[in-house]
Amino acid sequence: MSDATVRSTKTRRGAGLGERAIELFLGACGVLSLFTTAGIIAVLAFETWAFFREVPLSAFFFDTEWTPLFADKHFGIWPLLAGTFLTSAIAIVLALPAGLLAAIYLSEFASARMRRVLKPALELLAGVPTLVYGYFALVLVTPLLQRVIPDLSGFNALSSGICIGIMIIPMISSLSEDAIYAVPNTLREGAYALGAGRLATIFRVVLPAAASGIAAALILAVSRAVGETMIVAIAAGQQPRLTLDPRVPIETMTAYIVQVSMGDTPADTLEYRTIFAVAAMLFVVTFAMNLVSHRLARRFRVAST
Amino acid sequence: MPTTREREPARPAKFSARGVMAFFGDKRVLHGIDLDIPAGEVTAIIGPSGCGKSTFIRCLNRMHELIPGARFEGTIELDGSSIYGREIDPVLLRRRAGMVFQKPNPFPTMSIRDNVLAGLRLTGSLDKTRAEEVVEFALKSSALWDEVKDRLKQPGIGLSGGQQQRLCIARALAVEPEVLLMDEPCSSLDPVATARIEDLIHELKSRYTIAIVTHNMQQAARVSGRTAFFLQGELVEVGATDRIFTAPTDSRTEDYITGKFG
């Protein structure tokens, strides 16, 4: 009896060892992303700290010019922030209504066959390389817009913003559709049974019930627009300018980082460190938005159960 | 003199259904129902799961057709005029026949007050000067007023299950329907909450025509004046509730009410 017990314990132990190895490996894979994030934050923090030893915080936040590559150096982040804000705002103004209406159509109106065709087609938009959108903005959208707006520069925030908007439509529509789809059908029935029409049911019962999910989708889309690089690097220009005029060349935070890291700025100089300070700023903005989005999405899950 | 046959109901028919057939895709779930719902009375529809009782009352306010692939044949008249005519707007019909569902479904983004007013708001027929009056009337009619009068601004989903169901009844009453269709309104409630809803049905029957679907025979016996027994998409028997439960004419009705199946 004791013999059998010992043997069975041994096999258990052997299996336990194999299981532990697999568990460790899986755990390591999971932790890898954590280390990557930690590594990124560490590098950003280190270089940003080095930057702010030479440039005071007040110069960064209260100056209104960004000219670190010129002889007369200014380190005010606002022109880059304004550029990012402008292109992102244009993108959202275009993508939110378009994406939301597409989501409403797909979830509430489209036939099953229409859905089967439209949904993948829409999601294909998200798969187009952003480089292609950049060229699209530069050689197609800008010339077209120039026919309507004659004083539009060759590089401008407007056409980049429009193309970012097109790029994030599928993100908004797909996530919003999930949120709308998750609204229990009993609510729609409740509204119809009260004598509500289709539009009233959708806009006053279904959409409010899906609101936090839609808000989460919106914030994720904003953070995607803020981080978008290739389109603005190609089509928005390289002129940090504190303006909200969409017709003139500007520069976004991301485009500035591309400009410096692709150019001949030597490493370990103050000019070089500026990109880490800008990247840290960008990181803070998108990280904050992702946090808010997570919180909203969680509330939305609670509300829909 | 026919003793086992039901005499015609004394009251005029509010709903009059003839040859009602309902389909989901190719599957026929109602096979030609002839049934009157008399005015100012509670009619209970009983039968085992899947017998088509819910589908039948969903034909009365044209909710059945909202399900993709669902189809209807036959005629149903409300006060003598067809509700399936080409000129009939189902949206307007549903304002005359309110519905309460199996699971309470208050609108989660709305307060108690807004839930009551939802029907009027959604149909664009809310007279703002009468809003408070409507809220009080509907909540008193659904016996919820005393419990919620101090927290009308709080969300409707914060209430207990039974209170939520009475809120849904208040919401239905606020649009001033003539008929109340109740689809197993107590199936997700505990016995105490169920008793309150049943008391409420007694209070409401003088003012509204009520059709209630239930799988609970005791409930049918307690609340209704007439009972219809459905089985596999057919109407087996209909008559005064007392008679159905004491002297059913069809052996299948007897087997069901004595618990031989179901």
Side-chain angles (χ1 to χ4, degrees), chain B residues 55-200:
Chain B
T55 301
F56 177 74
I57 69 161
R58 291 171 64 94
C59 288
L60 297 179
N61 65 344
R62 294 187 61 173
M63 291 290 285
H64 173 65
E65 65 201 62
L66 292 176
I67 298 163
R71 206 156 50 79
F72 170 90
E73 275 176 33
T75 60
I76 295 178
E77 291 179 351
L78 173 57
D79 287 339
S81 52
S82 171
I83 62 167
Y84 279 87
R86 197 165 289 168
E87 73 289 347
I88 298 296
D89 182 354
V91 163
L92 296 174
L93 166 70
R94 291 183 198 124
R95 292 178 201 173
R96 296 179 64 189
M99 187 168 231
V100 178
F101 297 85
Q102 282 190 28
K103 269 184 72 182
N105 58 350
F107 299 128
T109 54
M110 298 183 195
S111 65
I112 293 168
R113 179 179 182 275
D114 290 345
N115 260 290
V116 176
L117 294 174
L120 296 173
R121 287 226 176 98
L122 289 169
T123 55
S125 47
L126 176 63
D127 175 359
K128 286 223 174 75
T129 58
R130 281 195 58 228
E132 302 319 314
E133 192 185 324
V134 169
V135 170
E136 191 172 336
F137 161 78
L139 287 173
K140 277 185 173 160
S141 300
S142 66
L144 192 59
W145 175 253
D146 290 334
E147 291 157 65
V148 301
K149 65 181 178 217
D150 300 321
R151 47 169 170 157
L152 294 173
K153 295 265 167 65
Q154 286 176 25
I157 44 171
L159 299 173
S160 72
Q163 289 173 324
Q164 286 190 19
Q165 194 62 299
R166 277 179 281 146
L167 178 60
C168 292
I169 293 172
R171 184 176 72 182
L173 297 180
V175 291
E176 297 179 345
E178 300 153 41
V179 186
L180 211 49
L181 304 170
M182 305 179 110
D183 186 1
E184 303 197 26
C186 304
S187 63
S188 67
L189 304 182
D190 62 57
V192 176
T194 298
R196 299 216 56 167
I197 302 273
E198 289 179 5
D199 289 344
L200 180 56

Side-chain angles (χ1 to χ4, degrees), chain B residues 211-242:
Chain B
I212 178 171
V213 165
T214 177
H215 60 255
N216 179 334
M217 282 174 285
Q218 286 74 29
Q219 180 169 69
R222 284 192 297 263
V223 302
S224 70
R226 270 166 68 83
T227 294
F229 173 55
F230 278 45
L231 187 63
Q232 291 173 340
E234 305 208 22
L235 173 64
V236 174
E237 188 169 358
V238 58
T241 299
D242 293 344

Side-chain angles (χ1 to χ4, degrees), chain B residues 6-14 36-41 43 225-226 239-240:
Chain B
E6 187 63 26
R7 273 173 297 141
E8 279 302 300
R11 299 163 188 275
K14 189 71 181 173
D36 287 349
I37 308 286
E41 193 171 4
T43 302
R226 270 166 68 83

Side-chain angles (χ1 to χ4, degrees), chain B residues 2 12 16 21 27 30 42 49 75 92 105 117 138 195 198:
Chain B
S16 181
M21 292 195 264
K27 190 166 179 282
L30 291 177
V42 180
S49 298
T75 60
L92 296 174
N105 58 350
L117 294 174
E198 289 179 5

Side-chain angles (χ1 to χ4, degrees), chain A residues 16-35:
Chain A
L17 215 67
E19 262 176 44
R20 270 201 65 74
I22 292 171
E23 212 179 290
L24 271 174
F25 175 71
L26 292 179
C29 292
V31 169
L32 191 67
S33 66
L34 203 67
F35 276 126

Side-chain angles (χ1 to χ4, degrees), chain A residues 71-141:
Chain A
D72 176 25
K73 290 187 191 323
H74 286 273
F75 297 96
I77 189 69
W78 289 106
L80 296 183
L81 265 180
T84 294
F85 171 79
L86 190 55
T87 51
S88 304
I90 293 168
I92 292 301
V93 164
L94 178 78
L96 180 61
L100 200 50
L101 290 175
I104 292 170
Y105 175 73
L106 282 174
S107 61
E108 305 286 320
F109 290 97
S111 65
R113 191 195 294 164
M114 199 67 186
R115 245 173 94 92
R116 269 203 302 279
V117 176
L118 259 183
K119 220 171 133 69
L122 203 57
E123 270 152 23
L124 212 62
L125 277 182
V128 175
T130 59
L131 182 84
V132 176
Y133 281 114
Y135 278 119
F136 184 68
L138 185 66
V139 305
L140 186 72
V141 178

